[in-house]
Amino acid sequence: MLNENLKLLFIIPARFGSKGIPRKNLKILNGKPLIFYSIDNALKISCQKEVVVSSDSDEILNIATKFGAKALKRPAELAGDQTTIDPVVFHAYKSLSTDLNFDYVVILQPTSPLLSVKSLESALMYISLNKKIDSIISVREERHLSWKYENGEYIPNYKERKNRQYLDPKFVETGGFVISKPQFIRENSKLGQMVSVWKLPQHESIDIDDFNDWNICENYLSRKRVLFVVSGYKEIGLGHVYNVLAIADELSNYELHFLVDRNSQLALKKIKEN
């Protein structure tokens, strides 16, 4: 369980401009502005904390305060298309007046609305228990044959073609979170010397860059939940289980849960297999 005495500073950078999706951070996703989801994740972490939204937009900052975050107006020189996240985080960290002596700074991107509190809390617990780690970055695992373009030609990034499951995994950074010790928050960096990664489930690793990403997130967040109550053991057979699984196959856009009684170990085994 996460130590409730940890002192955390959550910084959520939320620039107004967006080329892919206009007004992205304010756009309504499953009934809430996109900025809501990162604020909500931060507020649900059971520690001593400050949650700050840094933005060049008064509209975004107004919405952020309504959801329980502190608002920090970002200077114009940190709001351009070419501005990286490091100076924005540094400005927020230096600007915040607080009595808390933070153990960690947590940077959350609003473009990762599927990130779960469970994943965030697990990563915080991991870094807090492993004192040698300075920073931890959320990643997704990829196993694909890839190529690069070099000196006018395409060159494979592999020595031998293998099936996907036998490829060495690559870990690609996501916008989910970066957790770092405060002393490593600098104008041109947010990472310490000893960096680890935290692998997210595939759907949680989605960063919203365009409308295709948006539609995927909308689909996940708006899914209906269905609970199947299932019995299946030697005396009554597995007919009921097979009927339930056939129905479940038709409900791929739903979040499915299965509840079996203590006698139905055969049913449990068959559900797990499927």
Side-chain angles (χ1 to χ4, degrees):
M1 182 176 292
L2 187 62
N3 184 353
E4 294 186 356
N5 293 320
L6 278 179
K7 300 179 181 66
L8 306 175
L9 171 60
F10 289 90
I11 299 176
I12 302 171
R15 193 167 64 91
F16 182 76
S18 173
K19 292 182 178 180
I21 301 177
R23 293 171 55 85
K24 179 166 62 178
N25 288 317
L26 294 170
K27 187 174 172 61
I28 301 301
L29 178 67
N30 192 41
K32 300 286 187 181
L34 180 60
I35 189 68
F36 162 81
Y37 295 96
S38 52
I39 296 173
D40 189 55
N41 273 344
L43 292 175
K44 285 180 177 176
I45 298 298
S46 300
C47 293
Q48 299 181 58
K49 57 185 176 287
E50 297 280 4
V51 181
V52 180
V53 172
S54 166
S55 181
D56 57 324
S57 164
D58 290 333
E59 189 175 1
I60 289 176
L61 295 177
N62 182 52
I63 292 293
T65 57
K66 290 182 178 179
F67 288 127
K70 288 187 174 182
L72 178 64
K73 188 66 176 287
R74 187 187 308 182
E77 61 268 23
L78 295 180
D81 290 339
Q82 303 302 317
T83 304
T84 62
I85 194 173
D86 291 342
V88 172
V89 170
F90 182 74
H91 169 262
Y93 177 65
K94 286 297 185 181
S95 300
L96 186 64
S97 176
T98 178
D99 294 330
L100 289 180
N101 184 20
F102 298 111
D103 296 302
Y104 296 100
V105 175
V106 185
I107 305 156
L108 297 179
Q109 297 276 22
T111 51
S112 298
L114 299 184
L115 176 68
S116 69
V117 174
K118 179 181 178 181
S119 292
L120 180 56
E121 195 170 65
S122 297
L124 282 164
M125 184 163 59
Y126 179 78
I127 194 173
S128 66
L129 293 175
N130 293 271
K131 302 299 183 181
K132 291 184 178 180
I133 299 176
D134 298 322
S135 309
I136 189 167
I137 304 173
S138 63
V139 299
R140 69 174 181 272
E141 180 181 316
E142 288 191 353
R143 294 174 185 261
H144 296 286
L145 295 172
S146 63
W147 294 64
K148 60 183 176 182
Y149 187 70
E150 190 174 277
N151 298 324
E153 61 179 332
Y154 291 97
I155 303 172
N157 279 323
Y158 54 85
K159 295 181 179 179
E160 179 185 356
R161 294 189 70 89
K162 299 178 182 178
N163 289 338
R164 184 172 179 270
Q165 64 269 31
Y166 300 117
L167 293 173
D168 293 330
K170 295 180 180 180
F171 300 101
V172 180
E173 292 184 27
T174 78
F177 57 79
V178 175
I179 305 169
S180 203
K181 293 176 180 176
Q183 61 265 37
F184 298 109
I185 302 299
R186 301 181 295 275
E187 193 167 11
N188 59 357
S189 178
K190 54 187 175 294
L191 302 176
Q193 295 296 316
M194 183 63 71
V195 180
S196 186
V197 300
W198 189 263
K199 189 172 71 173
L200 293 177
Q202 280 298 113
H203 73 281
E204 289 189 34
S205 71
I206 296 174
D207 297 327
I208 296 182
D209 289 323
D210 54 34
F211 282 104
N212 184 57
D213 299 329
W214 186 278
N215 291 334
I216 292 172
C217 291
E218 184 84 52
N219 179 62
Y220 268 100
L221 291 169
S222 62
R223 287 184 305 170
K224 304 295 183 183
R225 293 181 177 181
V226 178
L227 174 65
F228 292 100
V229 181
V230 189
S231 294
Y233 44 91
K234 184 176 180 180
E235 287 75 12
I236 66 173
L238 294 176
H240 175 51
V241 177
Y242 292 132
N243 288 336
V244 164
L245 291 174
I247 296 171
D249 283 339
E250 300 296 321
L251 300 176
S252 59
N253 286 330
Y254 291 74
E255 182 179 327
L256 307 181
H257 299 264
F258 299 86
L259 175 65
V260 300
D261 58 75
R262 295 184 183 277
N263 293 327
S264 296
Q265 295 303 306
L266 281 177
L268 179 63
K269 180 181 178 182
K270 183 58 62 177
I271 292 168
K272 285 184 175 181
E273 288 174 356
N274 285 268

